[in-house]
């Protein structure tokens, strides 16, 4: 999750002022929710994280196979170079080895290009999948949260996990405000299949590079 920036803070400040102008302080009903905690403990996050980790392992295996193939071609190329420079063999054999080395070098360059392209495509694909699953899950969470907030008559709900431009929690003090975090987690996981929460919980998922604030 990207850190809150002054622009985001300004928008929220304007919203608070608008509410204050349209209703008395006594009429405001504000709640908080730790969105990062809700996201991390939602069973769909746990499940999707396990799937992404498995895909990452598969990508690593494929990358290693490409690297091993490139290493084999490099070793073969070096042997051909050595043979092409070996004065103990005939000039004809040296010429053959030289030509074979040139062909093998071409294969080696192709191996390098293939690895570079594989890394680029797989990295982009994983980033897009991570972003999409994050957006989908946050959307689901916010739909449930919005319904609960309306049912509870809350004027607004603040994300207590958000950070300001000063890298400190956005909600510094919330005495007397209702925190919906645990109740929201319980509600979201009410329909979790057996064992859905057994996978390792994701850490700081909403704060991963390339993610956007919900």
């Amino acid at each position: 999750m990207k850190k809150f920036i002054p622009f985001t803070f300004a928008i929220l400040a304007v919203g608070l002022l608008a509410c204050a102008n349209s209703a008395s302080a006594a009429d405001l009903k504000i709640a908080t929710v730790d969105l990062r905690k809700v996201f991390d403990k939602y069973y769909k996050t746990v499940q999707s994280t396990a799937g992404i980790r498995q895909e990452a392992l598969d990508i690593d295996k494929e990358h290693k196979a490409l690297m091993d193939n490139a290493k084999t071609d490099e070793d073969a190329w070096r042997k051909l170079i050595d043979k092409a420079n070996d004065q103990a063999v005939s000039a004809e054999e040296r010429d053959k080895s030289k030509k074979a080395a040139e062909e093998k070098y071409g294969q080696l360059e192709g191996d390098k290009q293939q690895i570079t392209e594989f890394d680029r495509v797989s990295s982009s694909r994983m980033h897009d999948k991570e972003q999409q699953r994050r957006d989908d899950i946050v959307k689901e969470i916010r739909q449930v949260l919005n319904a609960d907030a309306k049912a509870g008559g809350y004027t607004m709900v603040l994300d207590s996990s958000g950070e300001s431009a000063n890298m400190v929690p956005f909600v510094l003090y919330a005495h007397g405000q209702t925190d919906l975090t645990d109740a929201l987690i319980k509600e979201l996981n009410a329909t979790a299949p057996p064992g859905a929460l057994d996978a390792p919980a994701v850490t700081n998922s909403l704060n991963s590079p390339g993610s956007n604030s919900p």
Side-chain angles (χ1 to χ4, degrees):
M1 179 193 296
K2 292 182 179 177
K3 307 301 182 185
F4 279 102
I5 58 177
F7 180 70
T8 305
F9 178 82
I11 291 177
L12 183 55
V14 171
L16 288 171
L17 288 173
C19 289
N21 290 333
S22 62
S24 66
D27 293 330
L28 293 177
K29 188 176 181 182
I30 301 174
T32 60
V33 64
D34 187 332
L35 186 56
R36 181 179 290 116
K37 181 179 179 181
V38 174
F39 182 90
D40 290 350
K41 291 185 176 296
Y42 186 21
Y43 80 91
K44 288 189 178 181
T45 301
V46 177
Q47 287 183 321
S48 67
T49 298
I52 287 177
R53 285 176 177 169
Q54 183 57 56
E55 186 170 350
L57 289 175
D58 294 338
I59 289 175
D60 286 343
K61 289 180 181 179
E62 191 170 349
H63 175 83
K64 184 179 183 303
L66 292 174
M67 292 293 291
D68 290 344
N69 181 66
K71 183 64 169 59
T72 299
D73 284 343
E74 182 179 4
D75 291 342
W77 170 71
R78 292 186 182 281
K79 289 179 181 179
L80 288 169
I81 289 295
D82 290 341
K83 189 174 181 180
N85 294 325
D86 188 357
Q87 299 299 316
V89 300
S90 65
E92 182 179 358
E93 285 298 318
R94 290 201 300 273
D95 287 341
K96 288 182 179 180
S97 295
K98 182 179 179 180
K99 291 180 180 179
E102 292 174 351
E103 293 179 358
K104 184 59 67 175
Y105 184 79
Q107 293 179 15
L108 183 57
E109 287 297 299
D111 292 339
K112 293 178 180 178
Q113 292 177 8
Q114 184 180 12
I115 292 172
T116 298
E117 181 65 10
F118 173 81
D119 289 344
R120 184 190 68 79
V121 172
S122 59
S123 177
S124 177
R125 185 176 70 247
M126 288 296 291
H127 176 273
D128 290 345
K129 281 191 174 184
E130 173 70 14
Q131 184 68 37
Q132 186 61 55
R133 73 104 189 197
R134 179 206 163 281
D135 291 345
D136 290 344
I137 290 174
V138 169
K139 182 178 180 180
E140 288 186 24
I141 292 173
R142 292 190 65 178
Q143 286 176 341
V144 175
L145 175 60
N146 289 346
D148 290 349
K150 289 179 181 178
Y154 292 102
T155 308
M156 65 177 61
V157 178
L158 301 178
D159 177 11
S160 60
S161 68
E163 293 184 350
S164 71
N166 293 322
M167 307 293 286
V168 296
F170 183 73
V171 179
L172 297 176
Y173 184 71
H175 176 68
Q177 305 301 332
T178 302
D179 185 88
L180 306 177
T181 304
D182 292 339
L184 183 56
I185 292 172
K186 183 177 181 180
E187 182 178 0
L188 288 167
N189 289 332
T191 58
L197 293 169
D198 293 342
V202 64
T203 302
N204 289 335
S205 305
L206 289 178
N207 204 23
S208 60
S211 295
N212 296 317
S213 301

